[in-house]
Amino acid sequence: MLRTFRIGGIHPPENKLSAGKKITPLTLPKQVIIPLNQHIGAPAVPVVKKGDLVKTGTLLAKAGGFVSANIHSSVSGKVNKIDNALDASSFKRPAVYIDVEGDEWEDAIDRSEDYIKDCALSDKEIIARISEAGIVGLGGATFPIQVKLTPPPGNKAEILIINAVECEPYLTSDHSLMMEKGGQILTGVVLLMKAICVSRAVIGIENNKKDAISHFRQLAKQYQGIEIMPLKVQYPQGGEKQLIDAVIRRQVKSGALPISVGAVVQNVGTAYAVYEAVQKNKPLIERVVTVTGKAVSSPSNFLARIGTPISHLIEAAGGLPENTGKIIGGGPMMGKALISEEVPVTKGSSGVLILTKAESVRKPMYPCIRCGKCVNVCPMGLNPTFLMSLTELGDWPVAENNNIVDCIECGSCSYTCPSNRTLLDFIRLGKGKVIGIQRARKS
């Protein structure tokens, strides 16, 4: 019997319209806009100025603290300006604008065909190279990887878990990467195992990707300590705590980190980025992005440079449909509506979902009927309708005591509510308020 996490969960229509589509390298735009905050933590500090000439892979900004990440140029050209730019959260934040002039790469980057080689680097040297490359978690959280690979004192990693679940409907960027770069991903897994000094890794893949499961099982025969684990299709299995529960049957306590149960979780795309950083000295300057939707003429998986405007991807997928209602950055469950097509691709951009006008209209909201469905599907064991009420009332102490901060914002509660209540919207608002109060308390 296939494993899955033990609390809550749903199975929305998968709609993997771009499954099986090869990864297509995207042409370069005329200008890229590279945000300085593409990660959780402090924004990077620019080391270039207007008029500077840069190459593909040139360092643009240094990490602004321990929890931060370097930012590199994804193109060659001239720095047009450093100014605020609209990001996926609809806020304007500092970014480096670069006018594209060709595609000249830094000499230190190995641009030869992909290959596998033994790594003689120590664990600390591997982590240092990952840090220099500006790698963050590519599953959406964008946590700087060097931080996750450096457990706090008193904690020791026992197992590396690779998130190859891709449970979000529509998205296929990870699936396509697994099918085309399997050997490189497994090399990245070995490097991550060495970095955290563990001898066991498990790659969790949902059972709707049988081709990837078969492909990885064949490849994994060449590697010691790597297990491929098929998992039941269940959303949101890509959440760290849910994946840990599914794979090793350990539950992370409220407020605790995965390392507290001996686990380090990394996304499959992150493993590939680690391979490129360590083996090829290549910083994180591009990633696979799915462009999809029921009205999209050619749902695709693109290899896009960081900073490329979303409009450039949409055009490559056949253009914006006439009946477009919303453009979502990410998938339909955890993605956010974009207010402009000019929002750039960032390290955390997994997909662009175009919804029709009919799909974009919210249904009328009715009073809660106390059916308990939202409670049953919450993967964190919370009471969503109660947390929504507390947010409406502004009762932050009770909201905090009822673990509103534990919400992973998966949207399962809103999806299942028969009264069409905007549970997640309110919980997200309340969660942000409580986090602000907690930060103020600590300072």
Side-chain angles (χ1 to χ4, degrees), residues 46-371:
V47 295
V48 294
K49 61 184 184 303
K50 179 180 178 179
D52 283 356
L53 294 176
V54 297
K55 296 179 181 180
T56 304
T58 299
L59 182 68
L60 297 179
K62 282 191 171 184
F66 178 61
V67 184
S68 187
N70 290 342
I71 303 288
H72 299 79
S73 177
S74 60
V75 296
S76 62
K78 182 181 289 187
V79 177
N80 181 288
K81 60 180 176 178
I82 299 176
D83 199 358
N84 289 333
L86 201 64
D87 68 7
S89 62
S90 302
F91 287 100
K92 286 194 171 183
R93 305 186 195 277
V96 179
Y97 291 68
I98 301 173
D99 294 328
V100 180
E101 299 174 1
D103 193 21
E104 185 182 356
W105 289 54
E106 289 285 352
D107 293 337
I109 301 173
D110 182 355
R111 298 190 65 199
S112 60
E113 289 295 317
D114 282 349
Y115 59 93
I116 312 301
K117 64 180 181 182
D118 292 332
C119 177
L121 299 177
S122 68
D123 54 345
K124 289 183 173 55
E125 288 171 328
I126 291 172
I127 294 172
R129 190 163 289 187
I130 289 170
S131 178
E132 290 166 8
I135 299 176
V136 302
L138 298 187
T142 64
F143 201 84
I145 293 308
Q146 72 274 9
V147 180
K148 291 184 79 171
L149 299 180
T150 312
N155 292 275
K156 187 179 185 308
E158 299 172 20
I159 184 173
L160 172 68
I161 299 176
I162 298 297
N163 179 0
V165 169
E166 199 163 44
C167 60
E168 181 83 44
Y170 285 95
L171 303 187
T172 60
S173 52
D174 285 350
H175 189 180
S176 62
L177 189 66
M178 286 189 278
M179 294 307 298
E180 296 188 33
K181 302 291 183 181
Q184 293 82 357
I185 289 169
L186 288 174
T187 300
V189 173
V190 172
L191 293 168
L192 287 166
M193 291 170 68
K194 188 172 183 180
I196 58 175
C197 304
V198 298
S199 58
R200 184 188 178 207
V202 175
I203 301 177
I205 308 175
E206 284 197 330
N207 204 42
N208 58 357
K209 305 173 186 64
K210 295 184 186 297
D211 53 351
I213 292 170
S214 175
H215 181 50
F216 267 63
R217 276 181 166 165
Q218 189 63 33
L219 292 172
K221 292 177 181 178
Q222 305 170 47
Y223 299 84
Q224 281 192 335
I226 299 179
E227 175 188 350
I228 311 304
M229 183 179 290
L231 298 169
K232 180 182 176 181
V233 180
Q234 185 87 329
Y235 178 86
Q237 197 150 225
E240 274 193 329
K241 295 183 178 182
Q242 285 67 44
L243 188 57
I244 290 169
D245 184 24
V247 172
I248 60 173
R249 285 293 184 261
R250 297 179 188 175
Q251 293 186 337
V252 182
K253 293 181 180 178
S254 175
L257 297 172
I259 193 66
S260 66
V261 295
V264 173
V265 182
Q266 299 289 359
N267 176 264
V268 67
T270 309
Y272 179 68
V274 166
Y275 155 77
E276 291 201 302
V278 178
Q279 300 279 49
K280 310 192 80 172
N281 205 34
K282 180 183 174 183
L284 183 50
I285 56 173
E286 58 186 359
R287 65 158 298 152
V288 181
V289 182
T290 298
V291 181
T292 186
K294 292 177 181 177
V296 174
S297 61
S298 181
S300 305
N301 300 302
F302 293 115
L303 181 63
R305 302 283 179 94
I306 303 300
T308 301
I310 294 296
S311 58
H312 199 63
L313 282 77
I314 295 173
E315 195 62 35
L320 196 66
E322 288 185 9
N323 62 342
T324 296
K326 283 184 181 178
I327 302 173
I328 306 294
M333 300 301 294
M334 296 189 72
K336 295 181 180 179
L338 305 178
I339 65 172
S340 170
E341 292 179 60
E342 300 313 306
V343 168
V345 170
T346 64
K347 296 176 182 181
S349 300
S350 55
V352 178
L353 171 61
I354 299 173
L355 299 179
T356 64
K357 290 177 181 177
E359 293 172 310
S360 304
V361 176
R362 281 191 170 181
K363 297 176 182 177
M365 185 169 71
Y366 298 102
C368 176
I369 61 173
R370 300 292 188 267
C371 66

